[in-house]
Amino acid sequence: MVKLLKIEFRKMHNSRMFLAGFAVVTLICLGISAIELSAKGFGIKEASYTDFMIYNATFVIPKFFIPLLMILLAASVWGSEYANGMTKTFMLCKCSKTQFYISKCLFLLIMCAAVSVLSFAVLSAVSILKNGADQVSGKEIADMAKMYLLSAAGLIPITIITVLASIFLGDFQKSFACGIVVLLLSIAFDSVGTKSFLSPTHFLSCSPLSHFGIEKPEAYAVLAAYAVILYLAGMVFFRKKDIWS
Amino acid sequence: MNNIIEVKNLCKTINKVDIINDISFSVAKGDILGFLGPNGAGKSTTIKMMLGLVKPTKGKVELCGYNIVDSRAEALSKVGAMVEAPAFYGYMTGYQNLELYADLYGIDKARIEEVLALVHLTDDKNKKVKKYSLGMKQRLGIARAFLNKPEIIILDEPTNGLDPVGIIEIRQIIMKLAETQNVTFIICSHILGEIAAMCNKVIIINKGRIVSYGPVDKLVSEAGCNTLEEYYIKALGIDKIG
Ligand SMILES: Nc1ncnc2c1ncn2[C@@H]1O[C@H](COP(=O)(O)OP(=O)(O)O)[C@@H](O)[C@H]1O
Ligand SMILES: [Mg+2]
């Protein structure tokens, strides 16, 4: 299984997809920071590190672009590999379907964490460079790190939804489209108010609520339920599915 | 137990259509079995069920004495296969692609060179696979099937896209492995001459059913035919072509 996981990384490394993905995240973070720092209208120009980080956590970066990247990755790791016959070929190497499924999901989980860590690092760096290191305490950074990690956990449901779509549809375009549709619907639902904690993408933009300690306790349970149920459903369906192409 | 492959009453039904209907056969160690049939007959589907990719609706498959559904890892540990067109990562070189599988099997890197030399790809091993021709990809697929020193090798249309010399080379490799290392082969092909030259047994299937099954020489001579081609046409019930 570790070997299967290593293969995922090696192949990402070879396809330069790692670099491209991380470059995109970095650029987006820098772009948003630039907009924000230059826009006087927001009134946060002099904002502290914490304000800056919280503001960014609710901005489009985590809410749309980072999940978009994860959907892209999930659809290519699952959907397109199924369509082009790589899944079939790996299945012939005596690795079990369960091992195969777990290692791919684990890979995506690591990538969820990685993009969040990256966006956290870039935004932190921008803020610290702007405001000076003496303006930030270690505790503030730790608090914000926790908050960004929570938004990484918020990426899990939408990623596994794309995996499920890939297992059913067995094709890159369709599963990518499916992921996007769910993401957009979910974002729309997010903004409808008090029930937003039920959406699979709630924590992508609402992680600051937990920082202020005003998150509904149910929200965490909903997130965990999404992750566990979707993950197990994917495993069951993948084990049942015939591998044709 | 001298039958290394045992297929019993294999059936596959999709949306109430019987794609594979009650296929049974067995293969002894060292046999080269030709698997013939028109397009859509169910050759690839049968092979996918034998390799545990597709779950049979009914029936069972045993490879080296292990049931493919219950003991998948053991059954596949001595099997190498290429099913339909071989898939590779185009952005990696031929060598890097094989390296992935060598790692998965826990095989020494020297073995990669060995199989690459076997299919004459040593010179192109550092080229990206997307720059390979169809025939080169096919060779790389065959190399991958040989990688884990299997006792059973299953090849689905292995000579697809190969040039005449390539076809002869692959045939020689197959016959040599069967002879010297007692490797068992199942080979799907559309080229009847190919099967006639290599295989000692043949199965002809049509519409998911076995039409005939037995040693090539015996089948051909008993039916009063001169060539496998003649026999094939007779077995499928096609009187005249054109
Ligand atoms: N992915 C699939 N889903 C459902 N049926 C399929 C699929 N692939 C092939 N079939 C059906 O299985 C039958 C046998 O196909 P196949 O085994 O590929 O034939 P062959 O390899 O002998 O040309 C065909 O009737 C085909 O329609
Ligand atoms: Mg076929």
Side-chain angles (χ1 to χ4, degrees):
Chain A
M1 200 142 93
V2 177
K3 285 176 183 166
L4 280 169
L5 192 62
K6 243 167 68 186
I7 285 179
E8 293 298 325
F9 281 105
R10 181 143 12 127
K11 134 194 140 185
M12 283 293 127
H13 172 74
N14 274 307
S15 73
R16 310 266 190 286
M17 207 154 144
F18 264 147
L19 284 176
F22 286 157
V24 169
V25 176
T26 312
L27 280 177
I28 292 171
C29 290
L30 288 176
I32 302 288
S33 314
I35 295 173
E36 218 169 282
L37 290 172
S38 64
K40 290 199 171 67
F42 286 127
I44 54 148
K45 202 172 172 214
E46 260 73 56
S48 68
Y49 170 78
T50 301
D51 287 347
F52 180 81
M53 294 300 279
I54 288 177
Y55 190 82
N56 269 309
T58 60
F59 215 70
V60 282
I61 323 169
K63 202 167 185 172
F64 187 72
F65 285 103
I66 290 181
L68 186 71
L69 211 67
M70 288 313 299
I71 289 171
L72 195 67
L73 194 62
S76 72
V77 164
W78 277 97
S80 81
E81 294 232 332
Y82 182 86
N84 67 20
M86 288 314 302
T87 306
K88 178 181 73 186
T89 318
F90 280 116
M91 292 317 311
L92 295 177
C93 295
K94 68 176 182 168
C95 47
S96 78
K97 278 183 159 180
T98 314
Q99 283 174 340
F100 189 82
Y101 178 80
I102 294 175
S103 59
K104 286 218 175 221
C105 285
L106 202 57
F107 170 73
L108 289 172
L109 184 71
I110 293 171
M111 294 310 287
C112 282
V115 287
S116 296
V117 166
L118 184 71
S119 68
F120 169 74
V122 172
L123 291 170
S124 289
V126 169
S127 170
I128 289 172
L129 282 177
K130 168 105 198 340
N131 296 329
D134 49 338
Q135 300 291 311
V136 210
S137 71
K139 186 179 176 306
E140 270 182 298
I141 295 183
D143 279 351
M144 289 301 109
K146 233 192 296 176
M147 196 180 84
Y148 274 71
L149 217 55
L150 188 62
S151 66
L155 281 171
I156 295 171
I158 187 71
T159 308
I160 308 185
I161 285 172
T162 313
V163 170
L164 263 175
S166 298
I167 292 172
F168 274 111
L169 304 167
D171 165 283
F172 175 80
Q173 279 95 337
K174 286 185 202 152
S175 34
F176 182 68
C178 197
I180 296 290
V181 168
V182 174
L183 176 65
L184 291 175
L185 286 177
S186 173
I187 288 177
F189 187 81
D190 266 345
S191 48
V192 195
T194 54
K195 287 275 182 290
S196 88
F197 69 92
L198 287 174
S199 101
T201 53
H202 173 72
F203 278 97
L204 286 179
S205 54
C206 294
S207 49
L209 291 181
S210 74
H211 171 70
F212 295 118
I214 52 171
E215 183 61 274
K216 287 192 174 71
E218 304 94 285
Y220 302 102
V222 169
L223 175 66
Y226 267 123
V228 171
I229 291 171
L230 289 170
Y231 173 80
L232 291 178
M235 175 125 70
V236 169
F237 287 125
F238 183 60
R239 283 171 58 94
K240 278 206 176 144
K241 189 173 165 86
D242 286 341
I243 298 171
W244 286 99
S245 58
Chain B
M1 217 220 67
N2 52 359
N3 284 335
I4 193 163
I5 302 173
E6 199 71 65
V7 175
K8 280 211 189 97
N9 310 106
L10 210 55
C11 298
K12 182 72 186 176
T13 309
I14 298 177
N15 302 331
K16 297 191 182 134
V17 180
D18 294 330
I19 291 176
I20 300 296
N21 207 327
D22 201 19
I23 284 191
S24 304
F25 62 91
S26 53
V27 187
K29 206 160 164 44
D31 269 351
I32 306 182
L33 175 78
F35 210 49
L36 291 173
N39 286 326
K43 303 182 294 294
S44 299
T45 306
T46 306
I47 283 179
K48 283 172 198 165
M49 287 198 279
M50 289 174 66
L51 292 167
L53 296 170
V54 171
K55 234 181 221 148
T57 311
K58 233 169 62 196
K60 69 168 186 182
V61 175
E62 277 179 9
L63 303 177
C64 307
Y66 292 104
N67 187 307
I68 187 72
V69 179
D70 305 331
S71 340
R72 191 193 153 76
E74 290 89 346
L76 287 180
S77 64
K78 292 274 190 288
V79 178
M82 183 175 78
V83 186
E84 293 176 328
F88 293 100
Y89 294 116
Y91 51 81
M92 286 159 86
T93 67
Y95 186 89
Q96 285 172 332
N97 266 289
L98 292 190
E99 219 178 2
L100 295 180
Y101 298 94
D103 280 355
L104 211 52
Y105 281 124
I107 298 175
D108 200 50
K109 295 277 165 17
R111 179 69 185 158
I112 302 177
E113 301 288 351
E114 247 173 75
V115 292
L116 282 171
L118 205 60
V119 296
H120 302 290
L121 277 177
T122 308
D123 293 342
D124 298 299
K125 69 174 182 182
N126 292 326
K127 250 197 210 166
K128 294 236 156 81
V129 170
K130 66 181 168 209
K131 295 193 179 137
Y132 276 23
S133 69
L134 179 62
M136 284 159 79
K137 275 189 209 154
Q138 202 75 18
R139 283 162 192 262
L140 194 60
I142 293 169
R144 178 172 55 198
F146 291 165
L147 200 58
N148 59 334
K149 298 198 176 155
E151 287 174 14
I152 300 171
I153 297 179
I154 299 178
L155 301 172
D156 192 353
E157 301 183 25
T159 50
N160 203 0
L162 290 188
D163 55 51
V165 178
I167 292 177
I168 294 167
E169 277 169 6
I170 296 299
R171 185 195 306 166
Q172 284 170 346
I173 295 170
I174 289 171
M175 290 172 80
K176 195 172 144 210
L177 280 176
E179 221 166 84
T180 60
Q181 293 171 31
N182 216 17
V183 175
T184 310
F185 281 91
I186 293 186
I187 294 163
C188 285
S189 180
H190 286 134
I191 309 168
L192 295 169
E194 185 65 27
I195 297 291
M198 280 193 291
C199 302
N200 55 355
K201 275 192 187 168
V202 65
I203 292 179
I204 300 177
I205 69 168
N206 191 17
K207 295 180 184 148
R209 288 172 189 278
I210 293 190
V211 177
S212 68
Y213 164 41
V216 181
D217 305 337
K218 192 165 156 251
L219 287 178
V220 173
S221 62
E222 275 181 5
C225 300
N226 294 317
T227 60
L228 181 62
E229 190 164 352
E230 211 176 297
Y231 176 74
Y232 177 77
I233 289 168
K234 200 168 169 181
L236 288 181
I238 311 163
D239 289 336
K240 281 197 180 71
I241 293 176

